[in-house]
Amino acid sequence: MSAMHASTPRPTPAATWPDGFEVLDTCHVATLGALAELEALVGRLADGTPDDGMRASAARVNAFFTTTARQHHEDEERHVLPKMATSDDPEIVQAALRLHQDHDWLEEDWMELSPHLDAIAGGQSWYDVDLLREGTQVFTALSRDHIALEEACIYPEARARLGDRERREMDREMAARRAHRSASKGKSSRPG
């Protein structure tokens, strides 16, 4: 099992749901693992036709950044960045605004990479190795820089500023949204 999947938060009942910041931190670890897997995959693509392992890797990375990473950004947009954008500290406000913009750029970057990874995962040959190489460099650099800013600046400030009630509300909302998505996904995959 890859580190990416071992660390991906799973829906749990709200009573046993971990602290929301623990979930966010765990997702950062999983994101760094997925970025390393993406870089390794792209590095191997120049060697020829993707094998089964490379196709599986492309599918894992694509699924992670299409679902888990987007959910993580939604968590930050709902629970962390709004509070930080109203800080009395101009540096915190600037960092929060930058991180919000990063989410948009990361989404744009991912929308360019995702179809190529989907093609690799599906055994198709139309993907563009040069686009993947260049796009991966941009995406991974921005992702790592983004995570570093969150962990060094925004998360510590948010942990200090969010009260117990706000933290419990954050935890409940994150757990409920994941449970809802999990239930919806289960319904959509059942024969009907």
Side-chain angles (χ1 to χ4, degrees), residues 17-155:
W17 183 257
D19 174 78
F21 284 104
E22 290 175 24
V23 174
L24 295 174
D25 289 338
T26 298
C27 193
H28 279 176
V29 172
T31 299
L32 294 172
L35 292 170
E37 186 172 5
L38 174 61
E39 289 173 319
L41 171 65
V42 171
R44 291 181 57 205
L45 285 173
D47 295 340
T49 304
D51 60 24
D52 289 344
M54 293 166 72
R55 286 191 293 277
S57 180
R60 274 192 307 274
V61 169
N62 198 25
F64 179 83
F65 285 109
T66 300
T67 57
T68 304
R70 283 181 174 150
Q71 186 168 267
H72 173 80
H73 291 167
E74 184 178 350
D75 293 335
E76 293 170 340
E77 294 286 340
R78 286 175 181 246
H79 302 292
V80 178
L81 297 181
K83 185 90 168 176
M84 298 303 96
T86 61
S87 172
D88 294 334
D89 184 337
E91 288 182 32
I92 296 295
V93 171
Q94 186 60 38
L97 295 175
R98 180 188 149 201
L99 292 168
H100 174 74
Q101 180 63 56
D102 282 357
H103 287 165
D104 293 339
W105 286 333
L106 288 165
E107 180 66 16
E108 277 185 44
D109 291 344
W110 187 248
M111 294 301 292
E112 187 172 303
L113 294 172
S114 180
H116 295 269
L117 291 169
D118 194 39
I120 294 166
Q124 300 169 353
S125 61
W126 63 261
Y127 60 89
D128 184 332
V129 175
D130 292 331
L131 181 143
L132 277 168
R133 186 177 302 110
E134 182 180 321
T136 294
Q137 290 173 349
V138 170
F139 183 73
T140 58
L142 179 57
S143 294
R144 287 182 177 121
D145 190 45
H146 181 86
I147 288 171
L149 180 59
E150 286 175 341
E151 290 183 353
C153 179
I154 292 297
Y155 282 14

